[in-house]
Amino acid sequence: MSLRITVTGGAGFLGSHLCDRLVAEGHEVLCVDNFFTGRRANVTQLLPNANFEVLRHDVTFPLYVETDHIYNLACPASPIHYQFDPVQTTKTSVHGAINMLGLAKRVKARILQASTSEVYGDPEVHPQIESYWGRVNPVGPRSCYDEGKRCAETLFFDYRRQHGLDIKVVRIFNTYGPRMALNDGRVVSNFIVQALKGDDITIYGDGNQTRSFCYVDDLVDGFLKMMGTENGFCGPVNLGNPVEFTIAELAEKVVSLCGGRSKVVYQPLPQDDPQQRQPDISVARERLEWEPKVALSDGLKETIGYFRKVLA
C-alpha cells in the first residue's frame, strides 16, 4: 500500500538513505530539511521522481501537510555541528518534537522519533539496555544534544499517554556509510578522510574507548521494521551493531583498507565523551526480528569508495 510519508531531516546522511528506500517501495515522500547539515546533493537522484518532493523548512516552526507516517530525523547529530549553535540544537529536538507531534495529532499519523544512544550518556551499564536511565551531564558541552533528545522522548511518550498518539521511538547507535559529511567530526569519516589524504590519524584519548558501528543500510531496515510494528508496540528500541571495537582498532582497519601510510597521533579526550558504547539489541531481535548484517570491513569499503569520489 502506497503511503504519504514525511521525513524531517530528509536530506541528511540517514534521512536521504531512508528517502531512497521509501521511494523505491512506491511511497509518496516529502523530504523536509532546513539544509543546516543536510545537503541537496544527497537527494538529487530522487528529484526526477514524481513521488518525491523537497520542502525547505525548519522544524522549530509548525508544519501543515497531509501525511500518513512521519519519520522525525531532524537534528544535527555530530558534536561539531550540534555544538556550533547549542541553543538551536535544543530547540530543534524539543520544539521540533512538539511541532511534529502536533502534526501527527492533527492528521492522525504514525510518528517515529530518531533518538540516540547519547541518552545513556557515559554509561555505568554495559552493554546498554533500553531500561537503563543513563548517566548524562545536564550542564556540559554535549548536553544540548543529549538532553534535547531525552526531552524529545519524554514528549513522545506524554503525547501517547495524553492523546493516544501512535508513536515509535528508536535509539540510534554509531552509524556510518556513504553521504556522511566530510567535516562532521565523527570518528569514521575523520579517519577515512585523514587516511585518504595521507594525514595523521587523530585519536582522542588513549584509543581504548569502544564503539560499535552500524552500516546505514542495516539501520534503515530497522527504521522500516519499527514503523511497521503493530499491537501498540512503541519502544524505545536500540538500533545498532553490538559488535564492539576500540577506536584504535578502527584506525588500524581504516589505514589498512585505504592503503595509506598514515600514522596515529593522540589528542586529549573531549569532555563527557563516553568510554563505552555498545547496544544490547535483544528487544530489536525479539520484537522486530532485526539485527545488522553488514560486517565493519564491508561497510568501510563502501564508505571509503564514497569518500574517494568526493575528495577526487
Side-chain angles (χ1 to χ4, degrees):
M1 180 177 67
S2 177
L3 298 169
R4 297 166 300 178
I5 300 178
T6 300
V7 180
T8 72
F13 161 49
L14 298 180
S16 63
H17 284 277
L18 176 60
C19 287
D20 279 343
R21 189 77 66 86
L22 293 170
V23 170
E25 292 185 355
H27 300 296
E28 295 179 30
V29 177
L30 175 64
C31 164
V32 177
D33 209 297
N34 69 350
F35 297 101
F36 173 60
T37 56
R39 296 182 305 127
R40 191 170 290 273
N42 287 340
V43 292
T44 301
Q45 72 286 353
L46 293 172
L47 294 176
N49 194 305
N51 281 341
F52 182 74
E53 184 180 357
V54 177
L55 174 66
R56 183 186 287 270
H57 179 82
D58 189 320
V59 296
T60 61
F61 298 95
L63 180 65
Y64 301 96
V65 296
E66 296 299 319
T67 191
D68 301 305
H69 285 177
I70 302 164
Y71 289 84
N72 187 37
L73 275 59
C75 190
S78 71
I80 282 178
H81 291 146
Y82 67 63
Q83 290 172 4
F84 174 76
D85 187 344
V87 172
Q88 186 62 25
T89 295
T90 304
K91 283 182 176 180
T92 301
S93 285
V94 178
H95 292 187
I98 290 168
N99 287 328
M100 292 308 108
L101 287 162
L103 171 61
K105 182 185 168 194
R106 281 194 301 276
V107 300
K108 297 180 170 54
R110 176 174 291 179
I111 181 167
L112 180 143
Q113 167 68 4
S115 190
T116 172
S117 61
E118 298 301 330
V119 299
Y120 299 121
D122 191 2
E124 299 158 300
V125 171
H126 191 74
Q128 290 80 60
I129 56 176
E130 288 87 350
S131 59
Y132 175 52
W133 290 355
R135 178 171 171 261
V136 173
N137 176 1
V139 295
R142 301 170 69 102
S143 308
C144 59
Y145 184 69
D146 302 1
E147 295 288 32
K149 288 288 192 177
R150 285 163 69 95
C151 185
E153 286 196 17
T154 300
L155 286 161
F156 266 69
F157 280 89
D158 282 340
Y159 264 77
R160 179 175 185 263
R161 284 183 283 261
Q162 191 168 337
H163 302 296
L165 213 61
D166 188 0
I167 68 162
K168 310 289 178 184
V169 176
V170 296
R171 291 174 176 165
I172 302 167
F173 284 68
N174 289 58
T175 304
Y176 70 99
R179 300 182 198 156
M180 295 181 83
L182 276 172
N183 61 343
D184 67 3
R186 300 189 204 195
V187 65
V188 172
S189 51
N190 266 9
F191 285 0
I192 291 174
V193 170
Q194 288 171 335
L196 290 176
K197 288 181 173 180
D199 297 340
D200 293 339
I201 301 288
T202 307
I203 289 181
Y204 295 94
D206 60 11
N208 290 320
Q209 68 269 39
T210 65
R211 295 292 184 272
S212 49
F213 302 99
C214 183
Y215 190 62
V216 62
D217 289 355
D218 284 332
L219 186 78
V220 170
D221 285 340
F223 282 167
L224 299 180
K225 282 180 177 285
M226 183 62 178
M227 190 60 110
T229 56
E230 301 294 346
N231 303 320
F233 178 66
C234 58
V237 177
N238 290 337
L239 293 181
N241 194 319
V243 181
E244 191 177 17
F245 293 90
T246 68
I247 296 302
E249 287 174 322
L250 175 68
E252 189 179 312
K253 273 185 178 289
V254 168
V255 172
S256 172
L257 290 168
C258 288
R261 298 181 181 178
S262 299
K263 67 177 189 290
V264 174
V265 297
Y266 293 87
Q267 299 286 344
L269 192 68
Q271 182 183 340
D272 299 332
D273 197 56
Q275 284 296 314
Q276 292 182 304
R277 185 68 86 225
Q278 181 191 16
D280 182 309
I281 61 166
S282 303
V283 174
R285 285 188 174 118
E286 179 185 346
R287 301 301 298 264
L288 309 183
E289 298 182 349
W290 175 89
E291 62 183 321
K293 300 187 178 88
V294 180
L296 181 61
S297 293
D298 295 332
L300 285 175
K301 287 173 187 171
E302 293 294 322
T303 311
I304 289 166
Y306 167 78
F307 278 113
R308 279 194 200 278
K309 289 177 186 172
V310 171
L311 291 171

